[in-house]
Amino acid sequence: MTESAVAVVILAAGQGSRMQSDLPKVLHRLAGVPLVAHALAAARSLEPEQVVVVTGHGSAAVARAVAGLDPEAATVLQAEQLGTGHAVRQALPALEGFEGKVVVLYGDTPFIGQDTLAALASHGADLVVLGFEAEDPGRYGRLVRGSGGLERIVEFKDADAATREIALCNSGVMALDADLLRQMIGLLTNDNAAGEYYLTDLVALARGDGRRADVVICDEEETLGINTRAELAAAEAGFQTRARARAMEDGVTLTDPASTFFALDTVIGRDAIIGPNVVFGPGVTIESGAEILPFCHLEGCHVSAGATVGPFARLRPGAELGGDVHVGNFVEIKNSVLDEGVKVGHLTYLGDAHVGEQTNIGAGTITCNYDGVMKHRTEIGPRAFIGSDTMLVAPVRVGADAMTGSGSTITEDVPDGALAIGRARQATKPGLAVRLMAALRTKKETR
Ligand code: UD1
Ligand code: CA
């Protein structure tokens, strides 16, 4: 075992024509995030010095997504897809001066485990290929082993009948010394059945140069690549099954696991309870003992210990719920911090707001945070009481221990301890309801 520096190259230039899509394949979502996010997360688990994503089809969109997901990762363009060897070659200028192991991953292969990658990256051989025993070897490249380890990889198209009998297949993931890669990549030719520069030919080239090549074997499940919508759906189902099992093993109660959907990075603490039909988008953390009631959608938010959310609530990015906060039915919260003990029970929108501890937000409250061009903030102090159906026209501030009258439209700041009423004064006309109804009925009869 050796511990050397690691760089990761992610191949993501292919069109993915079998997806039948205008969207580049690696931007299709699995577990709430683009496919390439899975490869980037796997790459990061190796604590690499560099990550380079090779883009081609839809390169601008892929590069934008990569920059958003992992700002440290570089992207390079492979203008023409001439094969996996050619693709890796495009990454070499970006790796200039790097010494250590280069790990090659595919952007459309989301499930390679972190332990598997670590075993690959720390293996002593000059070149290590991740292989698997295929149930149905189909059109995978075959791994030909000999006494000295891995001898060569033969692509299905170029394999004779005997080689096609081999069940040990190439996952496509490879780790090799950077100097070996630089020295050998120029020697690849496209003199083969596909007319492509095969990365896999590096094995025979390395062996011919007296280098050591070997295989690390993983479960076939880990090597699953996505080529069609059906495979994407099957991968999603597989991901969810594993995520549900893991959550329950970690002490989370899932009332109906089959209707609970996780994202790649969902984190839920012990003794949290998740009701049926709850969907977690990316970026959610739920602390121990919180409860999410049925039919909630959460994304980019944090729910603290003891908080309850839903049923039928939506927490959008930037929603931060403090301890024991209660968010009830038909409540939407975006980019807002709710301090400890805040109650927002019913039919409310809070956007770009901060609510101080123990404040009660009445039913039907709305922060009017958008003026059509810009977003504005609402500040509500601790222990305040916002009357039902209050419109808070931002920017606006409601002080500590302050109140607003029901049905108020609050356009001016409310000082600490004050009661603000902003609505038309009620006028009551004795007997008018009865007289008005009678007049209307007469009108209808004589029409
Ligand atoms: C490749 C392997 C094969 C292995 C299989 C596993 C080679 C020559 N063959 O075959 O041994 O069993 O993967 O799935 O490496 N890509 C680019 N640029 C290119 C070509 C490919 O970025 O010019 C990317 C694709 O987007 C894809 C990955 O590389 O993510 C693999 O390419 P693909 O064409 O699917 O390779 P296979 O023919 O399946
Ligand atoms: Ca493939």
Side-chain angles (χ1 to χ4, degrees):
M1 293 290 228
T2 55
E3 283 297 330
S4 49
V6 172
V8 180
V9 175
I10 298 174
L11 304 189
Q15 178 167 25
S17 49
R18 288 199 284 152
M19 294 298 283
Q20 298 289 355
S21 178
D22 293 333
L23 192 67
K25 177 160 78 175
V26 294
L27 298 188
H28 283 266
R29 271 189 303 216
L30 176 74
V33 295
L35 274 175
V36 70
H38 294 252
L40 286 166
R44 279 294 158 213
S45 76
L46 291 169
E47 298 177 6
E49 283 186 10
Q50 281 181 274
V51 176
V52 183
V53 182
V54 180
T55 66
H57 283 276
S59 60
V62 175
R64 221 178 304 120
V66 168
L69 290 161
D70 188 342
E72 309 265 279
T75 49
V76 297
L77 177 67
Q78 183 193 24
E80 267 187 295
Q81 282 67 60
L82 303 180
T84 49
H86 180 261
V88 170
R89 191 171 190 173
Q90 309 313 304
L92 287 185
L95 296 177
E96 208 187 308
F98 170 80
E99 293 298 333
K101 293 269 187 190
V102 177
V103 176
V104 179
L105 301 177
Y106 291 172
D108 62 359
T109 304
F111 296 141
I112 312 272
Q114 298 186 356
D115 296 346
T116 302
L117 278 184
L120 204 76
S122 61
H123 194 289
D126 302 300
L127 187 161
V128 193
V129 168
L130 184 62
F132 63 102
E133 295 282 349
E135 200 164 303
D136 169 16
R139 304 184 63 78
Y140 288 113
R142 304 300 206 268
L143 302 185
V144 180
R145 283 193 287 190
S147 51
L150 181 63
E151 291 192 341
R152 61 184 180 280
I153 304 179
V154 185
E155 288 306 299
F156 176 81
K157 281 185 186 172
D158 303 295
D160 58 25
T163 308
R164 288 180 182 184
E165 288 299 312
I166 298 173
L168 187 63
C169 294
N170 175 28
S171 69
V173 176
M174 185 185 281
L176 69 170
D177 289 344
D179 63 337
L180 169 69
L181 179 61
R182 287 192 189 100
Q183 189 188 327
M184 300 282 166
I185 197 127
L187 304 178
L188 294 178
T189 69
N190 61 357
D191 181 17
N192 52 51
E196 289 182 1
Y197 295 90
Y198 293 159
L199 184 65
T200 46
D201 283 350
L202 285 182
V203 176
L205 286 169
R207 288 302 301 265
D209 193 49
R211 309 288 194 119
R212 260 183 73 209
D214 209 342
V215 184
V216 164
I217 295 177
C218 70
D219 287 346
E220 180 163 13
E221 227 178 37
E222 291 185 59
T223 70
L224 182 82
I226 310 296
N227 297 299
T228 64
R229 305 263 182 176
E231 286 172 1
L232 183 65
E236 181 76 43
F239 172 85
Q240 296 299 342
T241 301
R242 291 190 291 275
R244 291 161 186 156
R246 209 180 312 122
M248 291 187 285
E249 278 161 23
D250 291 347
V252 179
T253 293
L254 304 181
T255 312
D256 178 23
S259 71
T260 309
F261 292 85
F262 293 91
L264 179 62
D265 60 355
T266 307
V267 177
I268 305 184
R270 213 175 134 91
D271 287 324
I273 301 175
I274 314 297
N277 293 291
V278 171
V279 176
F280 296 103
V284 177
T285 49
I286 310 272
E287 285 183 16
S288 293
E291 180 164 5
I292 313 297
L293 287 97
F295 296 98
C296 290
H297 190 281
L298 295 84
E299 179 178 356
C301 63
H302 178 77
V303 178
S304 297
T308 61
V309 176
F312 297 99
R314 180 170 185 208
L315 300 185
R316 292 172 52 203
E320 286 192 35
L321 276 50
D324 300 317
V325 162
H326 169 63
V327 169
N329 43 261
F330 307 108
V331 171
E332 172 181 345
I333 298 180
K334 184 215 77 170
N335 190 32
S336 294
V337 176
L338 278 54
D339 290 346
E340 193 166 325
V342 166
K343 290 189 167 53
V344 196
H346 339 261
L347 299 157
T348 288
Y349 172 60
L350 296 180
D352 306 307
H354 172 225
V355 183
E357 59 179 25
Q358 308 301 334
T359 282
N360 192 301
I361 308 283
T365 295
I366 288 176
T367 52
C368 310
N369 60 326
Y370 185 48
D371 59 17
V373 180
M374 283 178 295
K375 302 280 170 62
H376 301 282
R377 293 196 58 82
T378 300
E379 271 291 333
I380 303 174
R383 300 170 306 278
F385 183 92
I386 305 299
S388 295
D389 191 34
T390 295
M391 298 295 117
L392 297 155
V393 182
V396 73
R397 187 180 170 282
V398 176
D401 305 292
M403 294 175 85
T404 66
S406 296
S408 289
T409 298
I410 302 296
T411 56
E412 288 165 24
D413 288 356
V414 181
D416 292 355
L419 166 65
I421 304 173
R423 64 189 186 214
R425 183 170 282 278
Q426 181 173 324
T428 307
K429 317 281 185 189
L432 183 57
V434 173
R435 292 202 302 279
L436 184 62
M437 281 302 235
L440 289 172
R441 285 194 193 98
T442 310
K443 195 170 178 183
K444 187 177 176 190
E445 278 158 24
T446 57
R447 221 179 16 188

